């Protein structure tokens, strides 16, 4: 199977599985507990049908959106995710370049493997920073200042990761940073030698946002342990309000799922919220963002930019979310599998296929612009 044979999310997933060692693939692919929320995130879209209009004159289609002050040429962006150079040696560099080519936003995580400043210097498309709130308040201030100096447009504070989700696939393989694997995990690496050759022949793996502040030389640190031991479970709305004031710019909360929290985000001055359950990787059994979208848009959609992620695999999923009032949609696995499979060309192919699906879907829906999408286009089963 080659990249040119990939035509959808599932094809990219299959190619990534063929090329990645088992522990790395399962880190991307896995979720919390029984992974029921992970499955529901996509299934939620299937409970909703599109109702097209015809004869609308759709020769020219404008799929651009403006979200948190950022103009995007397409209404889906590459959500920031951790550890991208584990999936492909180019990591965030590949994603940033591909996102720039397609005129959309990308993000870098606190656990990113390329520095905020490097990609901001090379690329002009909008960039967000997925920020994790640490127990070390000095570290938080230093990381915010670095992002501000780099010219990052959107601060995206993740609020659904106060502690690590129970990701049992990682427990079985021993996945951690640096690697400390179970025997079965080591066998999986031995079976995919090309990945290992790329890993050791390119620049040393690093976490630039944290390397000057966090010492991991004493041994392996699992991602679950990172969330549980280093992030601050005492974080409150007062802490976030101070961050919003200090950032003094576009500030988004990622992981909001209730109306009351959405209203509180408005009160403290946030300019955006992302409805997200972390791709099903935190609280298994939690509600899917698409199921919760209409309720939150009805409550605060005229006061704050409402975005959603988790479970998005198709252009029609994006259209359904936009019809319910989302200003834009984020995706993680939809570009991470292509990144793992083929680096920048993979991400570009995923974005091109998504762009084509959205454009085709808008034409078939009889919509010339995103603003014409509304709840009247939908029926729920």
């Amino acid at each position: 199977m080659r990249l040119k044979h990939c035509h959808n999310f599932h094809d990219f997933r299959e190619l990534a599985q063929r090329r990645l060692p088992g522990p790395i693939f399962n880190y991307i692919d896995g979720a919390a507990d029984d992974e029921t929320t992970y499955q529901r995130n996509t299934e939620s879209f299937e409970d909703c049908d599109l109702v097209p209009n015809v004869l609308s004159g759709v020769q020219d289609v404008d799929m651009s959106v403006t979200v948190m002050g950022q103009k995007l040429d397409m209404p889906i962006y590459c959500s920031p995710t951790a550890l991208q150079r584990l999936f492909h040696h180019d990591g965030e560099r590949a994603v940033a370049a591909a996102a720039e080519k397609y005129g959309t936003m990308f993000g870098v995580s606190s656990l990113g493997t390329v520095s905020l400043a490097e990609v901001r210097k090379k690329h002009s498309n909008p960039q967000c920073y997925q920020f994790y709130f640490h127990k070390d308040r000095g570290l938080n201030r230093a990381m915010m200042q670095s992002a501000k100096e780099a010219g990052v447009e959107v601060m995206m504070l993740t609020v659904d990761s106060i502690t690590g989700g129970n990701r049992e696939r990682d427990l079985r393989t021993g996945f951690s940073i640096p690697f400390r694997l179970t025997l079965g995990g080591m066998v999986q690496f031995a079976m995919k030698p090309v990945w290992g050759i790329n890993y050791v022949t390119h620049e040393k793996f690093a976490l630039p946002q944290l390397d000057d502040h966090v010492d991991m030389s004493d041994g392996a640190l699992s991602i679950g342990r990172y969330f549980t031991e280093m992030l601050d479970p005492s974080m409150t709305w007062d802490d976030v309000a101070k961050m919003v004031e200090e950032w003094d710019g576009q500030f988004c909360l990622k992981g909001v799922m209730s109306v009351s929290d959405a209203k509180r985000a408005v009160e403290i001055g946030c300019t955006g919220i992302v409805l997200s359950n972390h791709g099903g990787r935190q609280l298994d059994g939690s509600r899917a963002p698409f199921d919760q979208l209409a309720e939150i848009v009805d409550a605060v959609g005229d006061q704050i930019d409402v975005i959603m992620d988790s479970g998005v695999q198709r252009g029609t999923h994006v259209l359904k979310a936009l019809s319910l009032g989302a200003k834009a949609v984020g995706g993680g696995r939809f570009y991470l599998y292509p990144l793992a499979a083929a680096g920048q060309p993979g991400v570009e192919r995923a974005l091109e296929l998504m762009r084509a699906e959205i454009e085709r879907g808008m034409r078939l829906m009889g919509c010339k612009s995103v603003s014409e999408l509304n709840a009247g286009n939908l029926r729920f089963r």
Side-chain angles (χ1 to χ4, degrees), residues 227-263:
F227 286 134
T228 301
E229 297 179 12
M230 299 191 66
L231 302 190
D232 192 349
S234 70
M235 179 174 59
T236 66
W237 284 101
D238 289 340
D239 294 316
V240 178
K242 291 175 184 176
M243 286 187 67
V244 172
E245 183 178 2
E246 182 179 344
W247 180 252
D248 191 27
Q250 299 291 338
F251 197 104
C252 179
L253 293 188
K254 181 178 184 291
V256 170
M257 286 293 290
S258 72
V259 167
S260 59
D261 283 348
K263 290 180 177 178

Side-chain angles (χ1 to χ4, degrees), residues 30-35 163-172 223-225 227-228 280-284:
D33 292 348
D34 297 316
E35 303 189 355
T163 190
N166 182 37
R167 304 175 191 176
E168 293 177 355
R169 294 203 214 181
D170 294 345
L171 297 177
R172 293 189 184 97
I223 301 305
R225 275 187 55 212
F227 286 134
T228 301
R281 296 162 71 81
Q282 287 297 101
L283 178 63
D284 198 30

Side-chain angles (χ1 to χ4, degrees), residues 42-62:
T42 299
E43 290 171 357
S44 63
F45 291 104
E46 310 314 318
D47 293 335
C48 173
D49 296 324
L50 293 165
V51 181
N53 293 307
V54 298
L55 302 177
S56 301
V58 289
Q59 180 177 356
D60 298 317
V61 169
D62 178 11

Side-chain angles (χ1 to χ4, degrees), residues 40 44-45 47 287-295 308 380:
R40 177 59 194 170
S44 63
F45 291 104
D47 293 335
R287 192 158 166 81
F290 183 70
D291 287 332
Q292 194 70 349
L293 180 58
E295 184 178 338
M308 69 145 287
F380 286 84

Side-chain angles (χ1 to χ4, degrees), residues 283-314:
L283 178 63
D284 198 30
S286 63
R287 192 158 166 81
F290 183 70
D291 287 332
Q292 194 70 349
L293 180 58
E295 184 178 338
I296 290 180
V297 168
D298 287 347
V300 299
D302 59 343
Q303 303 171 70
I304 195 170
D305 284 353
V306 178
I307 310 163
M308 69 145 287
D309 73 18
S310 300
V312 176
Q313 298 181 3
R314 284 286 190 184

